[in-house]
Structures are given as C-alpha cells and as structure tokens.
Amino acid sequence: MKFDDLKANWKAEIASDKRAQDLTLMIKLLAKETSKVDKSIKRRDTLEISIALLLIPVWSWKLFYAASLVQSIGLWIAILACLFIPYKLIKAKRVNAPKDSSVMAFWQVEKVKIENQVKLLESIAVWYLFPLMLAIVLITAGATVDGSGVPRMTEQLAIYYGFCALLNIGVYFLNKRAVKKQLLPLLDKIKQRISELNELKEI
C-alpha cells in the first residue's frame, strides 16, 4: 500500500470518528427532547384518564334519574366515551419492546411512539370530540323534552351548543398545531438520527 493510500485511510478514520462524536452529541440532545415530550404526554394522559374515570360514576348515577330516553342514550354514550378514551390513550403508548438494547433499537421505539401520538392527535375528532359532543347534546336536549318526548331547543341551549362547538374546534386545531409544530419535527429528527446511525454502520 502506498503512503498516499495510508494517508487517505487515516483521514477517513479521523473523519469517521469526528462524525461519530458529533452524532453522539446530537443523540444526547435529541434524547432530552424526546424525554421532555414523553413527560408531557404522561401528564396529559394522567389528567385525561383521571377525569374520564371520575365522570363514569356521575353519568351512571344520572342514569337513574334520566328525564327521557334521549337523555339516557346520551348518558350511555358519555359512559362508553369515558371508557374508550383511557383505552385509546393507553394503547397509543404501547410499543413492542425491542429484542436488544442497542441505540438503534431505542430510536426505533421512539419513532413508533411519536408516530402513534401523531395518529392519535390527528384522529382526535373521531374518538374524542365527536362522542363527547354528541353525549352533551343528547343529555342536555333530553332534559327539555315535552309531553310527547320531543326535545325543545331553547335560546340558552343554542348558545351553549355554540360555545361547545367553538371549544371543540379550538381543541381540534390546538392538537393539529401540536402535531405540526412539535411532533412532526421531532419525528423528522429521529428519522434523521436513525439514517445517520445506519450510515455510520456502513463506514
């Protein structure tokens, strides 16, 4: 082997070591970022699950004093929604444990965790907002039924429904914003680190 070849190989090794050091630093910084997001998700889930489970006895108690069939249906929807919401939140955090404890396996798990949260928040209107809004409408409208069992729309109810609709729209767009501004950029960084780790393996 010529001296020039040795020199080129030596430079390549140094560059590879420098790249590995830079990647290690970036991985540490990204790990802090994912840890922060994990804690935020944990706080959110704890709050949402606690509220949902605490509301189930309330809705169940109200069933015994339902003013109409419409209100009873609304209460049952509320109970089912309060059972489904914790299930949905817990399921989104379930990720198959890796068979090894390598750095690559860790980031593959983090990638799946963030992807699950993206899917969860992007479909929030279906599994969270719509069932609860439907339950609220039926429960409140069911309390105003006339002698023939038909709900009566009052001005107060119309204002209340308008407020609830605006609140749901706000929650929906806040979650869309969280996906766009927080989760998707984080997911891109994780994918980039995984790609760089794969490239480093090949060197």
Side-chain angles (χ1 to χ4, degrees), residues 9-201:
N9 289 341
W10 178 69
K11 285 183 177 180
E13 285 183 19
I14 291 176
S16 178
D17 289 344
K18 179 69 166 58
R19 186 179 179 187
Q21 290 173 2
D22 291 343
L23 183 56
T24 299
L25 178 61
M26 287 188 288
I27 284 174
K28 286 181 179 179
L29 293 173
L30 185 56
K32 288 182 180 179
E33 194 174 344
T34 57
S35 177
K36 185 178 178 181
V37 171
D38 285 342
K39 289 177 182 177
S40 175
I41 290 169
K42 185 178 180 180
R43 286 194 299 268
R44 178 206 68 192
D45 288 356
T46 300
L47 179 63
E48 293 286 350
I49 291 171
S50 299
I51 293 172
L53 295 179
L54 286 171
L55 283 173
I56 291 174
V58 177
W59 303 135
S60 301
W61 177 76
K62 284 182 173 290
L63 268 175
F64 291 101
Y65 305 97
S68 64
L69 177 61
V70 172
Q71 191 174 58
S72 293
I73 293 171
L75 289 165
W76 275 114
I77 292 173
I79 291 170
L80 292 174
C82 287
L83 289 170
F84 186 71
I85 288 169
Y87 163 77
K88 192 75 174 175
L89 293 172
I90 292 170
K91 184 183 177 184
K93 291 199 295 187
R94 285 182 180 170
V95 179
N96 292 331
K99 295 180 180 179
D100 59 74
S101 57
S102 66
V103 174
M104 179 65 77
F106 171 79
W107 287 115
Q108 291 289 358
V109 169
E110 290 300 309
K111 174 175 169 287
V112 174
K113 283 165 62 177
I114 298 300
E115 286 174 341
N116 287 349
Q117 290 300 318
V118 169
K119 291 175 185 176
L120 183 78
L121 297 186
E122 285 184 337
S123 62
I124 193 171
V126 176
W127 63 269
Y128 188 97
L129 299 176
F130 176 74
L132 290 179
M133 185 64 186
L134 178 60
I136 288 170
V137 169
L138 293 177
I139 290 169
T140 52
T144 66
V145 294
D146 55 24
S148 60
V150 178
R152 291 177 291 105
M153 176 61 72
T154 64
E155 185 179 349
Q156 289 81 3
L157 273 182
I159 294 171
Y160 178 64
Y161 293 155
F163 172 77
C164 288
L166 288 174
L167 182 63
N168 281 343
I169 291 170
V171 170
Y172 175 78
F173 281 107
L174 279 175
N175 280 277
K176 292 285 283 186
R177 186 176 185 277
V179 169
K180 183 179 179 181
K181 298 289 186 179
Q182 186 179 28
L183 296 183
L184 289 180
L186 181 57
L187 183 59
D188 287 340
K189 289 179 184 178
I190 292 172
K191 288 179 178 178
Q192 181 64 27
R193 296 297 86 82
I194 291 173
S195 176
E196 288 168 350
L197 285 169
N198 281 327
E199 289 176 7
L200 205 58
K201 277 183 179 180

